[in-house]
Amino acid sequence: FTRRMNKFARLPWVILGIRELNSTDMVVYAIISTFSVKKSYCYASNKYLGDILGVIASTISNSISKLRRQYAANVVFTPDRCLRQGYTL
């Protein structure tokens, strides 16, 4: 995955200001944001995101849930991508 990715990820100041988010949650946000640049959504699986960060898929799932509770991310299920989650920021 490193060949296709940017060499950096951006994290908005507003995300840094959400005290309920830990550093993993913020990095998950930054990765999803990077993957969302071209099409405004990210279809990476929790397992794939976990592999990037060196954590298990449930850790990613927990981070996504926290981001959703803070209105920082929406989880979108689309008919053409059955059982896959798309994350929009």
Side-chain angles (χ1 to χ4, degrees):
F1 62 85
T2 55
R3 280 185 257 159
R4 295 184 314 229
M5 290 179 53
N6 292 329
K7 299 204 187 274
F8 63 91
R10 292 184 175 180
L11 188 63
W13 282 105
V14 68
I15 298 300
L16 287 172
I18 301 174
R19 299 288 179 219
E20 293 79 11
L21 300 179
N22 62 35
S23 57
T24 301
D25 305 332
M26 293 180 196
V27 173
V28 167
Y29 182 97
I31 291 171
I32 290 172
S33 178
T34 299
F35 285 169
S36 300
V37 169
K38 286 188 179 180
K39 297 187 178 184
S40 300
Y41 57 85
C42 169
Y43 278 114
S45 69
N46 290 351
K47 181 184 180 329
Y48 183 71
L49 295 173
D51 289 345
I52 292 171
L53 288 177
V55 298
I56 59 176
S58 63
T59 300
I60 301 299
S61 180
N62 290 337
S63 289
I64 298 293
S65 293
K66 286 165 77 175
L67 289 165
R68 287 181 68 196
R69 282 194 300 274
Q70 297 301 321
Y71 304 104
N74 295 314
V75 178
V76 178
F77 295 93
T78 58
D80 58 331
R81 298 281 186 150
C82 296
L83 305 176
R84 297 208 53 196
Q85 298 182 61
Y87 304 117
T88 62
L89 305 175

